[in-house]
Structures are given as C-alpha cells and as structure tokens.
Amino acid sequence: MKSQYRVVVIGGGVVGSSVLYHLAKMGWKDVVMLERRRLASGSSWHAAGGVHTLNADPNMAALQAYTIDLLPKIEKESGQNIGFHMTGGLTLAGTPERWEWLQSNYRIFQSIGISDCELLSPEEAQKRCPIMSVDGVLGAMWADREGYIDTTGTVQAYATAARKKGAEYYEEVKVDSLEQLTDGWIVKTDKGNIKCEHVVNAAGLWAKQVGRMAGIELPVSPLKHHYLITDSIPEVASSDFEMPMTVDLEGFTYMRQDQNGVLVGIYEIDHEHWAMDGAPWDYGEELFQEQLHRIENELMLGFQRYPAIENVGIKTWVNGAFTFSPDGNPLVGPVPGKRGYWSACAVMAGFLQGGGVGKTLAEWMIEGEPETDAWSMDVARYGQYAENKRYIRETTGQFYSRRFVMSYPNEQLPAGRPMKMAPAHDAMTQAGCRWGVSWDLEVPLYFAPSDKFEEKLTLKRSNTHEIVAQECKSIREGVALLDITGFSRFEVKGENAEAWLDKIFATKLPKPGRARLAVMLSSSGKLKGDLTLLNWGDGTFWIMGSYYLRAWHMRWFNDQMQDGVSVRDLGDDICGFALIGPNSQFVLQKVAEEDVSKMRFMDCKGLDVGLIQSRVARMSVTGEMGFELNCKMGDHIALRRILLEAGTDHDIREVGFNAMLSTRIEKSFGIWSAEFTQDRTPGMTAMDRWIDWDKPDFIGKAAAVAERNGNGPGKIQVTLEIEDGDSDASGYEPIWSEAGDMVGFVTSGAYGHTVKKSLAMALIEPALANEGTAVTVHIVGVERRAKVITPSPYDPDGMAMRS
C-alpha cells in the first residue's frame, strides 16, 4: 500500500468494488480500495442477490440494465465464477388497481427500451412458476432478464477485474479519520496515512461514520430485512427448469430458487431500524435472530402463495441489515461543499444497481459529468434539512414499509412532514389549501371546497379535476393568487458578477430592470438549467428556478466560481406570491405606490406594495399576464392579506401548482425533470432558440455549435393533442407511428382546462414532428389516438402575457 493515490475508495462491498473497477477501466490506474475486514463482509455477503431490469424510474432501469449486461463480462475478465442464473421473472398483480398499474408500466418499460416483457394471464403465469398458487392473481408481467447471482463471488469478480486493470485493493485496513487539504484529502488508517485527490464513501453500513469524518451527515439508515431458505422441495428438484424470480406485490414477498429449494424474502410493514448512527466497527458477518412476530402476516401470505414450502423445513433464516436513503435510491456524486469527496452509498439493491453506480461515478469523476441523467440518485437531491434524525427515521422507514405497496401519482406521503412551511401556511390551510412537498417545503397543490373533501387516489383523473378547472378559469379570466415560496432564488453580486454570469449562461444577459429566460449548459453542451435571470439594476442579479434543485444548482455555481463573485441561496430568506390573470394589473395597482401599467412583460423592479417592500417581475409560467412579487419571509402573511383584500372586487381566488401545471402545458412551456433533463440538449428541447450564438464564449458553446451545425438530434420536442378519456399522460408513455413503430415518448402531460383537451409534450423522431401527424399513445395502459399540434394551443401569439 502506497502513501499516495489519486483516489481512495472506502469500503470493499459490491459498490466500492464496482467503483474501483470502472475507474481503472476508464484509465485511472492510481486508485485503491480499502476494506476494514474482508471483501463483501458488510451487507454484500448476506444479500439475496436478485437482479432484474424493471424499475419505474427510467434512469434507474437503465442503470440496472447496464449492470445485468456487465455481470457476465466481469465474470469473464476476472475468471471468478459469479453463479449467474438468468431465470426470467414474474411480477404479480392481485388487485384491479395493481393490474392496471402493471399494464401501464408494461408500456412505459417499452418506451425506455425494456422490450423483453410480456403480460400474462394467471394461468400463463402459473406455467412459468408451477409451485405458485394463483389464487387472487389477476395478471402478471414476465421479464426475460431477471435472475440471481452469488453475492460474494460477484464482489470478488469486480475487485479481481479491477486489479487486473491496474487498481489495488487491501483488506484488513480500517479508516480512522479524514483530513481535508486545499488540494485533496489525507486518509488516516490503522496501517498508515494516505494522501489522495479524491475520497469515495462506499462504506455501506458504515457510510454514516465515513460521512461524519468529512463533517457531513448523510441521510442514510440501516434497516433489518428478512429472508428464508427452504430445504429441498420435491417439485423444484424434479423440474427441468429453474423457478423464476417472482415478486408478489400484494403479498410483500419475492421468491427465487436456491439449489433445490427456494429463497423467500419479505418487505414487512412493521419495519425496524438498526444502528442509525452507523454499524459498530466490529460488526461483520453477523446476523440478527429472526423476528417472527414482525413478519407473521407477510410470512403467512408467502406460504399461501407457494404451498409447496408448507411441506418442507426452513434451512436458513437471514435477518440482516441494509442501508436505505429516504426514497430508496442511492446517494451518488460529489458532495456539495466538500471538494473531492464523493458519495457511493445507500445502494439498497447493490448487486442490481452496483455496476451502474460504479460507471456513473467514474464518468462523473473523470469526465466531469455522467453520460446519463443521474438526478434520481444524485446526493444533491437532498439538502441540509435531510440531516435531521427524525426525518431520516420516518422517511427510510416509510420507504421500506411501502416497498411493495401500491403508490399513486397524486398520493402525498406523510413521513418527514411538515417540515418547512411558508409563513402564511396556516392561513392558507384554513382557506382550504392542500399541500404537497418540494424538497423540505410544503407547497400548495389546490384549494379544497370544504374540510371534509378527500382526494381519491387514482392513476387516472381524480376528483380534484373540477377544482383545478375552476382555478384555471380564475387564472385565464380573472385574477388568481399563487404562493411562490417554492421557487429557488440565488443572489449574484460582485465586481465580476456580470462577466461570470455571461460565462455560465448561454443566453444574452438581461439589461438593468429586465428579466430573461436563461439557459445553462454543461461543458458537453447538455442542459444544466432552465432558469430565469433578473437584473435588478443595482448591481444585483437573481437566478430563479426549481426549488428542489437548490443544492444541485449551488454545487454547480460553486464549481464554476471565480474571484470577485458571490452567490447566495435566498431560499430561506425570500418567499412571495404570483398575481396572475387579466385582472392582475388592476389588483396590484390598488396597493402599489407606482404606476404598474408601465411595467412591460419581463420588466423587474423594486416596488412598495402596501407596507411591504418587494421585488416584482412582470412574468408568469402560466402564459397569462402576471406579476411575481418577492418579499422577506416575515412579510409573507401581510403581503397575502394585502393582495387578497385588493382583489376582493375582482373575485380573486387562491390557486395551487396543479392549476399552474395545467396552464403551462397549454403554452407548451417545458419544466425541469420532465422536458428538460441533464442528458438532453438544447436542440432536442427547443431551448436552442434562447442561446446567444454571437457571444464569444460560454460553457458548452463548442458542443452546442456542433449540435447546431451537425445532423441534428434524434428526437425533438413537440406538443400532442390526445383523444380525450378518463386519464392524462404523465411521462414516458410510448408514442407509436401509424405503422406501429415506437417513435418517441411523452415527457409530461396534463388536461388543458382552457382549451378543453388532453395535452402532452413529447420527444419524437423529427420526420414525424410535423403538425397534423397522427400517432397513438398508451396512457395507463390504454392506446389512445393523438396528433402533433402547433406549440402553445392557448394564445399561440403570446398576447395575453404581453398585453
């Protein structure tokens, strides 16, 4: 072991070994992995080892598909047997809602390239898994690419293949502490100190402690998880094929063959945390005593689903700990504020996702960004709020208990809430507001007509449809008030602020007193932000965007920082309201101390509104006339009162973000995480129309120019009008040509209450992007006719917002 390396990977489980392998594969040979005991001696050794491509998140599905493709290559490169069994797999649906969900996801999987799936009847499913009872099963989905591996052998294969490519790893080396330097880190171990440029926390059950060594609190916690392995089952032993991986969603169990018996794992409702501050350092290849009282109900369901196991003994019980994040996805990437410190932890499904995590992190470290959109597992999707221990306990427990529970797109889960609330939250709640959550903040969704109103959970349109329709009507025909605390705001100042902004944005900067939609690109020319830049005219600029991207964007700003520039996140200091609609100007004029009729579209200025000093911009994401009023947190309650009182004569109505999303899609306005993601380009998303091509330089210019001058992207953004039904598109639904070829996918959808049409935005092959092109779309599993229409079906000339 040397005293200096480029990268030190801490943790010798499947994730650390995969990171080490990918770093060496991509050319960084001066890398080392340190394991405090033996390879795979954390949670890797007792994992069930199941692998499958299916995941409701397209990016996670791609990650898993990559891992499955990689596993046989690792086996060959290393010469280490990984015990790879590709058995195929079943996912069972036992309720009408679940069967509907499974049919919907079958189509979505097609749109993201998972083409080896098929829907089966209960009888067909039983033929694939003859030891299974299909009582209560309504249908199933089969996937070819499912199976299982030998976990310890797989870790050894990753590590051995990495060593063959020039990397190093050492067992029985315990990391005691970390010291940050100006140019890297010192890793202090019981075998000596190592200086390095990068540290990777792949410590699994010990990720919490390794995070604290760097002064950070990662939102992770171990939870206990059970599975059992049976003795030999005659029906299994006599079969001429292996039993497939089978997931019984209503039974909370998964099953796979293990020799001539089966392994049955349980995601019990009655979860139990363990060692929330991290596993003891001397913990290794130990297990907990099985806790039958916690898993009794789910265990009974498992025996009912697989009657053959009732007649044999249980050979082995496993009750071991795995580390979970609040949403169950990994925590990967550069930790904000800790240059050279990388997270690769909370990879619950390490053998399923570990290959993709290793690839993603290696690309990020070596090339500056991952090839695909990594937001689903980016450590920056959480902020400092997620360090709260109760938040971690509630959210990780909620995820574990809901692992196989049916979820709905309009469902609001309670764990870790409410945390941060806008000052007028209680008054808005009394007025009927129903809340969602963005990052740590409660955000308004809609205003219910009574305290007794309950939104019905559904994959289709809910009973809020008419409520949102009325809120949209106020936006389009009268005046509406929307709490916009849930927008991010960054203040940029300093002698070099303007030059810095001109470098990081591809857009021409706004003049004093003006705002402008601003496109931010990575060095490879991919999107880094669809933001709004405001020049207040006093040497201060604001960058406004999506609230949940606060840490993600601040990390990018800090990475590009220069002398003479300061960037401050105003998210905990500034809030506000949007006044929207054709009567918004009249309402604002009643309480403003200046003539607001002189404010042009995209003007911004300081304005006294009643007794409140505010910063006001004339703009709106609804495509209607609107004013965004920003104030201090302490002025939020008073500003709401002032505006509601001023709007009484105009029947002002408070609205939520559901109405805003409906009105924005009527304007074909894209949003982040839907139309705009970090693996898409300006040419794909029509954001190139905002680029100032005459600027001498900006981050990503060379790549953007190459796209503009090349053959163009493979898919481009369009707006679709969809045959009306009882549901609307939400994202990743496949689009089919009249010839039956898949030609694109939906990026987002909603019902346009003003134009009274079901609308969607989509990425589609350029040859089919012409107005009037007929296509079909699967929505909640049902094929619907659709056609390409001209963007902005409402007010295409933009007169409403400019009048």
Side-chain angles (χ1 to χ4, degrees), residues 419-456:
M419 186 176 285
K420 182 179 177 182
M421 295 169 280
H425 176 275
D426 288 353
M428 293 171 66
T429 300
Q430 291 178 4
C433 187
R434 300 298 169 87
W435 301 91
V437 64
S438 175
W439 222 40
D440 62 343
L441 176 69
E442 297 293 308
V443 294
L445 299 179
Y446 62 91
F447 283 75
S450 71
D451 292 341
K452 296 181 180 179
F453 178 84
E454 292 186 9
E455 182 173 4
K456 296 178 181 177

Side-chain angles (χ1 to χ4, degrees), residues 152-173:
T152 301
T154 301
V155 176
Q156 292 284 354
Y158 275 119
T160 302
R163 179 174 281 177
K164 286 185 174 182
K165 292 184 180 298
E168 299 176 27
Y169 71 83
Y170 296 93
E171 299 174 298
E172 303 293 344
V173 179

